[in-house]
Amino acid sequence: LFEIAAKHLKGCFPELKIGGPALGGQWAWGEDFLLEMKKRDVPLDFLSWHCYTCEVSKFKMFVSHWRNALDNAGYTETESILNEWNYVGGWTAEKWIESIRTMNNIKGAAFVAGAMEECQNLGLDMLMYYDTRPSAFNGVFDFYTYEKLKGYYAFYWYGFLYDCEKEIPSQNEVENIYSLCGVDKNGKATIILTYYSDNDSLPNKEISLDLGKNATYEIYKVDNWHNGELIAVTDNLSFELELYSMVLIKEK
């Protein structure tokens, strides 16, 4: 079915990207699928797959797995698209209910921010959050009132990085701290920091940033008590971060 559909659609619409099949956890089946499609000379512009987890660190393993599977099958130019992802701590009734609660609170928001920051440089072509429809999975807007939830700010802040010309990689990695930094055409920096782990008992962390210059920065925060508002204008880039907190730093 996939062979017939993909070849027909690609023949009719060569300018469109044709791919799939939105794999939902079938790792072994997915690898066999890729090998069989290559054997049948089926065009595949993208491989789409899903990932539901509670640990941001697992995204690296998942992205690497599917990139390697594509390359090993000979689809070295095929895009890898994670087209469904969100926080899920487990699929039992108890874990599922807790997962739904988490998707809509500050822990879920920090998970989303951390996931986007982690996936930025993993060789993934697209990262599609599931989802912003009126549903229990929507950690961006309230189900009934459409008011902004904590998760809104993860996406809103990520958008500021599109105004940047270049990315500045971090020279040091701190466990459970996720970050992205960019500079605009005027050399002004924008940084996002997120403290996330699925372990709810972790203590606060002391974090210091060194951008190699003296400047003044606007500091915005999302946590249990803040919703993205400005909390300081300072030249001091040392912070005490609470678990499940997000900080946006914008150079003035």
Side-chain angles (χ1 to χ4, degrees):
L1 174 62
F2 194 93
E3 176 187 9
I4 293 170
K7 288 181 176 178
H8 176 74
L9 290 171
K10 198 65 178 175
C12 294
F13 310 103
E15 74 281 7
L16 298 184
K17 291 182 179 180
I18 309 298
L23 292 161
Q26 300 109 332
W27 285 39
W29 183 89
E31 293 168 10
D32 291 343
F33 166 80
L34 290 173
L35 292 170
E36 186 64 25
M37 290 304 100
K38 192 63 176 180
K39 185 191 303 182
R40 300 186 187 196
D41 196 29
V42 176
L44 190 68
D45 292 313
F46 64 87
L47 173 73
S48 53
W49 51 281
H50 302 169
C51 176
Y52 291 96
T53 181
C54 59
E55 289 291 358
V56 170
S57 58
K58 289 186 177 179
F59 280 96
K60 186 174 184 178
M61 177 182 67
F62 295 142
V63 172
S64 177
H65 173 87
W66 288 118
R67 184 68 264 164
N68 289 337
L70 282 164
D71 293 345
N72 290 339
Y75 286 112
T76 57
E77 301 300 317
T78 297
E79 293 180 352
S80 177
I81 297 178
L82 174 45
N83 72 323
E84 274 195 34
W85 63 279
N86 207 326
Y87 177 99
V88 173
W91 300 100
T92 63
E94 181 181 358
K95 287 286 189 179
W96 177 244
I97 292 170
E98 183 59 32
S99 296
I100 293 297
R101 291 195 183 105
T102 301
M103 289 177 193
N104 293 274
N105 63 25
I106 183 60
K107 180 177 179 178
F111 171 84
V112 167
M116 291 195 290
E117 290 155 30
E118 176 74 353
C119 289
Q120 175 70 21
N121 293 302
L122 292 184
L124 193 66
D125 294 283
M126 292 187 185
L127 181 68
M128 299 168 177
Y129 173 80
Y130 188 88
D131 59 26
T132 55
R133 298 177 301 167
S135 72
F137 278 76
N138 187 345
V140 181
F141 301 105
D142 181 82
F143 186 88
Y144 295 105
T145 67
Y146 304 128
E147 293 175 304
K148 300 168 188 172
L149 300 178
K150 302 284 187 181
Y152 167 87
Y153 298 94
F155 292 95
Y156 178 50
W157 287 0
Y158 187 84
F160 289 132
L161 296 171
Y162 282 97
D163 296 328
C164 295
E165 296 277 314
K166 296 180 180 179
E167 181 180 353
I168 301 177
S170 174
Q171 292 184 320
N172 297 292
E173 292 187 2
V174 180
E175 186 177 15
N176 300 318
I177 298 294
Y178 301 92
S179 65
L180 281 178
C181 178
V183 291
D184 64 17
K185 62 183 179 181
N186 299 313
K188 303 286 188 178
T190 297
I191 306 106
I192 303 173
L193 294 176
T194 303
Y195 181 11
Y196 175 84
S197 168
D198 198 44
N199 181 353
D200 297 331
S201 63
L202 293 185
N204 295 356
K205 277 186 181 282
E206 297 287 343
I207 301 294
S208 293
L209 302 182
D210 181 6
L211 296 180
K213 62 178 177 179
N214 296 320
T216 302
Y217 302 89
E218 296 177 339
I219 311 299
Y220 301 82
K221 194 170 188 181
V222 175
D223 57 17
N224 276 318
W225 306 276
H226 300 90
N227 290 313
E229 62 263 33
L230 180 69
I231 63 167
V233 178
T234 180
D235 60 359
N236 181 11
L237 294 183
S238 295
F239 307 94
E240 181 178 18
L241 294 182
E242 306 86 9
L243 185 61
Y244 311 134
S245 60
M246 301 146 55
V247 174
L248 172 68
I249 304 158
K250 299 190 74 175
E251 184 178 349
K252 288 178 62 66

